[in-house]
Amino acid sequence: MSLMPRSQRTLLGAKKTKKVHALENMSALLDVQSKGHNSSEEVVSDGRSEQQDAMMMPAKEVVEGGVVLVSSALDDDDHDDSVAHKEEEEEEEEEDSVVNEKFANVPFNNLSCEFGIREFRPGKPWSAIRELHRTLDPQRDVVERSACQTAAGRALWNHVIHDPLAEVLAGDSFLSSLQEKMKKYWQSNAREVPGVMLAVRTLWFDSRLSQALNRFPPYCTPQVVLLGAGMDARAYRMSSLKECSVFEVDFLKVVQLKESLLQALVDGGQMLPELHAKSVQRVAADVASQDWFLRLVNAGFNQDWPTVWMLEGFLYYLHEFDAKETLKCISLNCKNETILLADFMNESSTHMARELDTHFYFHSDWPEELLPHLGFSNVKVSQIGDVDANFGLLEDELNLFNQIRQVPRHIKADIHGKPYRRLLLVETRAA
């Protein structure tokens, strides 16, 4: 596959086939949500009959407040209301350096597609898993399909992400199509391999989450909230969550799909990975139209406890009003140590919605100026390719992401009029 001249390529701007273009440059922007599962889980209805009529596994039990609950064998710890605020720039830079060293020696060509993604075989549980993925409507189930496609990207970069459930949650259709594209790009020595942005974004959120949890006092039990959790499996793969109560908020159908996939795995005689989090509760809610925060509180979320909020691949799917109201809700209702991790599209990136066959609405070219008006402070912004957003996967200086980060953000397009499409990674605190 031939690539355009490097001098003409801008971030996410190369004119390729729409699907290839999207996968090469913006795979990471498709992540809508993520979640975990255990035999004690339950599903909550979000009150929408259309979604209830959809498919999926019925809930085994329904707890008060309509919550999916997973709990490990760890005992509850006492929580403390006071958390010291100790952040120094030098310490954070040192942490970033240590995190990046972990991935610096991973060969660029050590792609999962070269070392084998498991083929879905006939029989249990793979036939059941395949059938569940086939129930998704390409026209109506955009959110669910985007979540599965993100899981496929993580599966194909599993040599650095280490997601034990990504293949099952992705489905063989997304896996095989993305795998073929990765092979072609790698064999042609392309500087940007499909899914690399997704891999870097995932690792950035992982590292920032772990660093935030390490700064909390050892005597507290932190909370982690994932809005738009989708097909994420952090509760099963991140040891830093071992003392955490994890809450995952998403649409009912997304929750049910993941529940069904994991149950099919168990019914087929496969064991789920060990749950690292202290507990996982899944809350079915539409953030844009329902009182999702009340449902979260009813699920056991404590506004007084230290919390890391994860809004990965989420905000740009909301309209501007809903996105800002969601952010204000977090800053106003969380009374103790509150850290927000989120990614923002710039305006140019939202115009990719049509070619990605999805919908993007909210954007912010300058989140460090926006967030203080919504109740946040100490806003730190990174771009793909920065010291803390590289992980040894973007060493080529001519890589598009390395080129774009050297262009000031106020410059919207190159000399040929091609827009600079940016994904901004943000860490901030509730003021």
Side-chain angles (χ1 to χ4, degrees):
M1 179 180 297
S2 61
L3 300 176
M4 291 183 63
R6 295 168 189 160
S7 61
Q8 296 182 15
R9 291 182 292 171
T10 61
L11 178 61
L12 313 179
K15 292 184 178 179
K16 299 183 176 70
T17 304
K18 289 183 178 179
K19 296 294 183 182
V20 175
H21 171 84
L23 283 167
E24 175 189 9
N25 298 300
M26 274 309 239
S27 308
L29 298 179
L30 289 176
D31 188 4
V32 192
Q33 296 116 353
S34 332
K35 305 169 186 83
H37 173 73
N38 188 292
S39 59
S40 63
E41 297 175 358
E42 301 169 17
V43 178
V44 184
S45 169
D46 64 356
R48 294 189 295 175
S49 59
E50 179 178 350
Q51 289 183 329
Q52 291 171 337
D53 292 339
M55 45 158 293
M56 307 308 169
M57 178 186 73
K60 290 176 241 179
E61 302 176 85
V62 177
V63 295
E64 184 177 356
V67 179
V68 180
L69 172 62
V70 187
S71 181
S72 69
L74 297 174
D75 295 330
D76 288 335
D77 290 334
D78 293 331
H79 296 80
D80 194 286
D81 290 339
S82 62
V83 180
H85 291 269
K86 294 182 180 179
E87 278 196 51
E88 297 183 3
E89 292 295 333
E90 293 182 0
E91 290 180 359
E92 292 192 349
E93 290 177 4
E94 183 177 347
E95 287 174 336
D96 295 335
S97 177
V98 171
V99 170
N100 279 304
E101 271 184 26
K102 176 180 177 182
F103 303 97
N105 295 323
V106 176
F108 179 72
N109 62 353
N110 185 17
L111 302 178
S112 294
C113 63
E114 288 300 310
F115 289 83
I117 286 293
R118 176 174 62 236
E119 293 184 4
F120 278 44
R121 304 178 292 277
K124 293 184 177 180
W126 315 115
S127 59
I129 290 172
R130 184 183 293 109
E131 288 305 312
L132 286 168
H133 280 289
R134 286 176 178 171
T135 62
L136 295 180
D137 187 325
Q139 300 300 319
R140 298 179 58 194
D141 300 330
V142 175
V143 169
E144 293 80 6
R145 288 172 59 84
S146 295
C148 294
Q149 188 168 11
T150 298
R154 287 176 174 156
L156 288 164
W157 286 87
N158 228 355
H159 59 293
V160 293
I161 295 174
H162 308 300
D163 189 327
L165 291 169
E167 297 173 31
V168 171
L169 298 175
D172 56 347
S173 176
F174 284 124
L175 281 172
S176 59
S177 60
L178 184 54
Q179 185 177 18
E180 286 304 311
K181 289 178 174 65
M182 287 183 74
K183 284 183 178 179
K184 291 178 181 178
Y185 274 65
W186 177 57
Q187 291 168 356
S188 65
N189 294 318
R191 286 197 162 94
E192 296 82 38
V193 176
V196 69
M197 179 183 269
L198 172 69
V200 171
R201 188 189 72 176
T202 298
L203 294 172
W204 184 89
F205 273 90
D206 284 357
S207 64
R208 287 301 184 186
L209 173 59
S210 295
Q211 290 172 20
L213 294 174
N214 287 335
R215 290 195 290 268
F216 290 153
Y219 47 80
C220 73
T221 298
Q223 301 171 125
V224 176
V225 180
L226 295 90
L227 289 187
M231 295 296 162
D232 187 272
R234 283 186 170 90
Y236 291 94
R237 66 179 179 82
M238 291 190 65
S239 59
S240 59
L241 296 175
K242 64 182 179 180
E243 298 297 333
C244 296
S245 298
V246 176
F247 297 86
E248 300 172 342
V249 183
D250 216 323
F251 291 108
L252 173 65
K253 190 171 182 180
V254 177
V255 171
Q256 289 181 321
L257 173 59
K258 184 170 186 181
E259 290 290 307
S260 299
L261 289 168
L262 296 175
Q263 188 61 42
L265 196 63
V266 173
D267 292 344
Q270 303 291 319
M271 292 185 63
L272 292 180
E274 177 186 0
L275 179 67
H276 288 299
K278 182 175 184 178
S279 65
V280 177
Q281 296 183 11
R282 301 191 186 99
V283 182
D286 182 349
V287 171
S289 64
Q290 297 170 328
D291 191 346
W292 63 272
F293 192 82
L294 177 61
R295 294 187 180 209
L296 185 63
V297 172
N298 290 338
F301 176 78
N302 192 319
Q303 297 167 255
D304 295 320
W305 291 352
T307 304
V308 180
W309 291 79
M310 302 272 287
L311 278 61
E312 181 183 10
F314 173 70
L315 285 171
Y316 27 84
Y317 288 94
L318 300 177
H319 289 280
E320 181 177 1
F321 175 81
D322 296 322
K324 291 182 177 179
E325 287 299 304
T326 298
L327 292 167
K328 285 194 290 186
C329 179
I330 294 172
S331 65
L332 290 174
N333 288 289
C334 297
K335 303 173 183 177
N336 207 318
E337 183 85 356
T338 298
I339 296 176
L340 175 74
L341 304 175
D343 58 326
F344 291 75
M345 284 184 176
N346 70 346
E347 182 179 7
S348 298
S349 295
T350 62
H351 300 158
M352 295 182 60
R354 179 174 298 180
E355 58 195 85
L356 292 174
D357 194 24
T358 188
H359 303 284
F360 296 143
Y361 303 105
F362 178 65
H363 65 85
S364 177
D365 290 46
W366 303 96
E368 62 267 51
E369 296 180 2
L370 169 71
L371 288 169
H373 295 287
L374 302 176
F376 294 91
S377 62
N378 299 321
V379 183
K380 301 174 183 178
V381 181
S382 301
Q383 290 191 73
I384 304 295
D386 284 350
V387 173
D388 65 331
N390 188 315
F391 304 99
L393 303 179
L394 300 170
E395 294 302 307
D396 190 334
E397 292 183 358
L398 296 181
N399 182 285
L400 291 181
F401 306 112
N402 287 331
Q403 293 183 36
I404 194 76
R405 59 187 283 267
Q406 298 178 38
V407 179
R409 264 189 282 157
H410 68 272
I411 300 178
K412 305 297 184 182
D414 65 11
I415 59 174
H416 304 290
K418 295 178 181 178
Y420 288 124
R421 292 169 172 171
R422 304 175 188 269
L423 185 70
L424 305 176
L425 307 171
V426 174
E427 178 180 4
T428 184
R429 293 177 178 273

